[in-house]
Amino acid sequence: MLAVRAGTPYLPWRDPGEATRLLRYALHRQGFTHTYQSNGNGMSVLSVSTELTVWCKNGCFVWSEGDLVVTHPSDDPDGATRLIMRHYRVPEQQSDDG
């Protein structure tokens, strides 16, 4: 549990787990519904697809696009979603094989 002074407003992006949850919900609205989130040790990790993993720590979302490492402020999950959608346009489809 983080120590917070009384009267301090709750800012979800200061908690990596909460910021990642907001990113996960934003991605879900865009069709990325098969995600996995793990939290611990002051950071959070979101597995979006086999090609995309997003880390959240120190106030930033971080992911790779090929050889490029992308960072985006964790207080803007919708903006991060837009950036992710530009590179990963189509959500991973689940196979109908069964």
Side-chain angles (χ1 to χ4, degrees):
M1 180 67 124
L2 299 174
V4 178
R5 189 154 69 198
T8 301
Y10 176 67
L11 304 173
W13 52 88
R14 290 196 178 161
D15 173 12
E18 183 67 11
T20 302
R21 183 185 67 81
L22 295 173
L23 174 63
R24 183 168 45 99
Y25 288 171
L27 287 166
H28 280 205
R29 289 190 297 273
Q30 298 300 321
F32 290 89
T33 57
H34 297 89
T35 60
Y36 176 77
Q37 181 176 347
S38 180
N39 306 314
N41 298 325
M43 64 178 286
S44 182
V45 179
L46 180 65
S47 177
V48 179
S49 71
T50 57
E51 301 168 350
L52 176 62
T53 300
V54 180
W55 292 267
C56 181
K57 63 180 184 175
N58 301 326
C60 287
F61 294 119
V62 181
W63 67 92
S64 295
E65 293 179 359
D67 294 333
L68 179 66
V69 175
V70 180
T71 62
H72 191 79
S74 62
D75 65 350
D76 183 21
D78 290 327
T81 297
R82 285 190 296 276
L83 290 174
I84 290 168
M85 292 296 295
R86 289 195 318 194
H87 189 75
Y88 301 93
R89 297 179 197 281
V90 181
E92 192 171 278
Q93 299 296 318
Q94 192 165 20
S95 172
D96 288 335
D97 298 338

